[in-house]
Amino acid sequence: MTVKLDSWLLEILACPNCGGDLRPADDADELACVGTCHYVYAVRDDIPVLLVDEARAPAP
Ligand SMILES: [Zn+2]
């Protein structure tokens, strides 16, 4: 299953950590921040979980 989010939704969503744009990650039900923090957020039941506490930080 891939992330199915409308483009208009992606346009208004922003990373809660840095305010950057979010883009669907390749081959995963996740949204990746393309701003400065590059956190990765899970998508559960087509609902993005935009919580910094549940975000996955990028590998150092
Ligand atoms: Zn971010």
Side-chain angles (χ1 to χ4, degrees):
M1 185 179 123
T2 55
V3 176
K4 290 178 292 186
L5 293 170
D6 293 334
S7 57
W8 65 265
L9 184 57
L10 281 174
E11 289 298 317
I12 61 174
L13 290 176
C15 174
N17 188 49
C18 74
D21 290 336
L22 298 171
R23 292 288 178 268
D26 292 336
D27 302 322
D29 295 332
E30 297 174 323
L31 290 177
C33 171
V34 294
T36 55
C37 74
H38 296 287
Y39 277 18
V40 176
Y41 300 91
V43 178
R44 295 179 191 142
D45 299 328
D46 293 334
I47 308 293
V49 183
L50 297 183
L51 299 173
V52 175
D53 285 347
E54 299 208 14
R56 191 173 77 241

